[in-house]
Amino acid sequence: MYRDPEAASPGAPTRDVLLVSAIITVSLSVTVVLCGLCHWCQRKLGKRYKNSLETVGTPDSGRGRSEKKAIKLPTGGKAVNTAPVPGQTPHDESDRRTEPRSSVSDLVNSLTSEMLMLSPGSEEDEAHEGCSRENLGRIQFSVGYNFQESTLTVKIMKAQELPAKDFSGTSDPFVKIYLLPDKKHKLETKVKRKNLNPHWNETFLFEGFPYEKVVQRVLYLQVLDYDRFSRNDPIGEVSIPLNKVDLTQMQTFWKDLKPCSDGSGSRGELLLSLCYNPSANSIIVNIIKARNLKAMDIGGTSDPYVKVWLMYKDKRVEKKKTVTMKRNLNPIFNESFAFDIPTEKLRETTIIITVMDKDRLSRNDVIGKIYLSWKSGPGEVKHWKDMIARPRQPVAQWHQLKA
């Protein structure tokens, strides 16, 4: 504040001048402190984000061993699983690192996504969100053709972010390889036990295969979850017409897995509610209704009923089931089942819901399944978390049935 020296009286400054000076001094001090704290936070968050990126890194694609297999093809050639062909270097243009975003924006996005996951929403919105965000993972493979030896080479490298198909929260994936339209002859990779990010690095040679016939084929890869005691569960598939690929050298691809076209993606939906009572140590499962169930009988219909299994640490504890609804693809059940689950066992508990088609003369068919736990798919985990967050309240949600 400027004062006229001629107008000022000699002696000590006035009280107003001291008050204004004190306010200005405090304001400047607070501004400096806040600025320093802001930079300190950014440095800390930035350092933590950088360390997390360095820790995650990129999976090593050099793992695994190569095995040899062979089958006779209708064209007179054979398919062999052998070591990588020397002199052919895969060109992977899609496996690139992304630039790290701002640490502050990542923190905000992380908190926002968690808030969205825990938001109640409506039954319809929850169902469609769970389906649209369902991630089947992706697979890396390479393909090329040797004109001198008339050999098509297919190498299955690895997969990432596969969904858990087993009630233990993991999968045992392997890959089937076809050259469509031929479905009788196929090759398979090894099974990778309890692995959602498997590395195969297995090479298959289709020998004696003329180029003119190769370009008429479609490379079809199907990823499945191996099951020792029942039918293998399909995880996803990838198909690529070979006439659209430059086969003069090995080309490497990352492809997102899509629902298998064998009907596993259209098995119908089930509406159910979960109610957790922490004081009684119980969960009430209410099977409400189903819609658009897959027809399993010759007459274009099904006789559905629902089995509910309570699992704890991969062991079956208790089973309950609904009544059978005759010739109905949109049945209404409205049946409730109570299970005793101590709070300390809740995190290791899985509820498996299986929609079955009852057959009088033969074995009952599985229409679809749902796995509810802390470590299932996104839609199932969301339902489980909503149940925990809203005790003593029935939480209903639509679920897509899976193979």
Side-chain angles (χ1 to χ4, degrees):
M1 180 177 179
Y2 178 78
R3 299 179 60 198
D4 188 0
E6 295 180 359
S9 60
T14 64
R15 185 175 59 183
D16 294 336
V17 174
L18 290 175
L19 183 60
V20 171
S21 300
I23 293 174
I24 294 175
T25 303
V26 171
S27 300
L28 290 174
S29 301
V30 171
T31 303
V32 171
V33 170
L34 288 178
C35 183
L37 286 175
C38 180
H39 286 295
W40 180 83
C41 288
Q42 289 181 2
R43 285 197 302 271
K44 283 292 184 182
L45 288 173
K47 183 178 180 181
R48 181 166 57 186
Y49 182 76
K50 181 179 179 182
N51 290 339
S52 66
L53 284 176
E54 293 174 353
T55 302
V56 174
T58 305
D60 182 11
S61 61
R63 303 176 188 173
R65 296 179 299 176
S66 299
E67 300 294 330
K68 292 187 177 181
K69 299 176 185 175
I71 59 172
K72 292 290 184 180
L73 296 175
T75 57
K78 66 177 181 178
V80 181
N81 180 8
T82 182
V85 180
Q88 292 183 340
T89 306
H91 299 279
D92 186 4
E93 297 182 356
S94 60
D95 196 6
R96 300 174 181 171
R97 293 185 180 180
T98 56
E99 295 183 359
R101 297 174 294 175
S102 166
S103 57
V104 178
S105 64
D106 273 287
L107 184 61
V108 172
N109 291 337
S110 175
L111 292 174
T112 304
S113 62
E114 291 188 8
M115 292 171 63
L116 287 174
M117 176 170 282
L118 292 176
S119 62
S122 64
E123 296 173 1
E124 297 288 339
D125 292 340
E126 287 174 353
H128 291 296
E129 278 186 14
C131 296
S132 62
R133 295 183 183 181
E134 186 74 21
N135 180 24
L136 298 179
R138 58 179 189 154
I139 186 171
Q140 187 187 40
F141 62 96
S142 60
V143 60
Y145 188 78
N146 188 321
F147 288 87
Q148 294 180 348
E149 301 179 1
S150 297
T151 299
L152 177 70
T153 301
V154 178
K155 182 176 181 181
I156 307 300
M157 296 177 176
K158 58 186 176 182
Q160 291 180 346
E161 301 176 357
L162 297 181
K165 287 292 186 177
D166 300 334
F167 53 77
S168 59
T170 183
S171 293
D172 303 319
F174 70 101
V175 183
K176 287 184 179 181
I177 305 162
Y178 299 87
L179 290 179
L180 300 180
D182 179 20
K183 282 191 174 183
K184 294 182 179 180
H185 302 87
K186 66 179 182 297
L187 290 173
E188 299 179 0
T189 67
K190 285 186 172 182
V191 176
K192 296 297 181 179
R193 301 283 183 180
K194 301 185 185 304
N195 199 333
L196 300 181
N197 297 280
H199 287 69
W200 288 286
N201 288 320
E202 296 185 43
T203 301
F204 300 86
L205 301 180
F206 295 85
E207 298 176 337
F209 212 156
Y211 180 77
E212 294 76 15
K213 294 187 177 181
V214 168
V215 294
Q216 297 175 5
R217 300 299 181 96
V218 175
L219 177 62
Y220 174 77
L221 308 178
Q222 185 182 36
V223 183
L224 300 102
D225 169 51
Y226 173 77
D227 200 326
R228 180 181 299 178
F229 302 107
S230 62
R231 191 182 68 172
N232 298 327
D233 295 327
I235 295 177
E237 67 180 14
V238 167
S239 60
I240 177 171
L242 294 178
N243 61 356
K244 296 184 179 180
V245 180
D246 181 10
L247 298 174
T248 58
Q249 60 179 349
M250 293 296 289
Q251 300 286 338
T252 300
F253 301 91
W254 271 112
K255 292 289 185 179
D256 292 331
L257 294 173
K258 299 179 180 179
C260 293
S261 55
D262 60 353
S264 60
S266 58
R267 295 177 177 269
E269 296 175 282
L270 182 68
L271 177 64
L272 62 98
S273 70
L274 301 175
C275 182
Y276 174 56
N277 189 335
S279 58
N281 288 330
S282 67
I283 291 180
I284 297 177
V285 181
N286 184 16
I287 307 300
I288 302 175
K289 61 182 178 179
R291 64 187 180 191
N292 302 324
L293 293 181
K294 182 179 179 181
M296 306 297 287
D297 299 335
I298 299 177
T301 184
S302 292
D303 302 322
Y305 69 97
V306 181
K307 288 194 305 184
V308 184
W309 269 106
L310 176 66
M311 312 289 295
Y312 178 69
K313 287 187 176 180
D314 301 349
K315 295 181 179 179
R316 296 181 176 182
V317 179
E318 189 177 359
K319 182 187 78 169
K320 299 184 180 181
K321 65 180 181 179
T322 68
V323 298
T324 302
M325 310 299 290
K326 297 288 186 180
R327 296 181 293 278
N328 198 334
L329 299 181
N330 297 279
I332 298 176
F333 298 100
N334 281 328
E335 293 191 47
S336 298
F337 307 103
F339 296 95
D340 294 328
I341 305 175
T343 304
E344 63 274 10
K345 294 184 178 181
L346 196 59
R347 193 167 265 284
E348 298 293 333
T349 297
T350 302
I351 296 176
I352 302 178
I353 298 173
T354 308
V355 181
M356 305 287 298
D357 170 50
K358 188 173 183 61
D359 255 324
R360 182 179 300 177
L361 303 177
S362 62
R363 184 179 177 183
N364 297 335
D365 297 320
V366 176
I367 299 178
K369 295 182 178 182
I370 300 168
Y371 295 85
L372 296 169
S373 70
W374 282 99
K375 46 193 176 182
S376 304
E380 292 82 355
V381 171
K382 181 182 184 304
H383 197 178
W384 194 266
K385 287 185 176 181
D386 285 348
M387 174 193 71
I388 301 298
R390 291 146 65 180
R392 302 178 186 86
Q393 299 180 32
V395 181
Q397 181 174 320
W398 282 100
H399 290 274
Q400 186 78 37
L401 295 175
K402 301 175 184 177

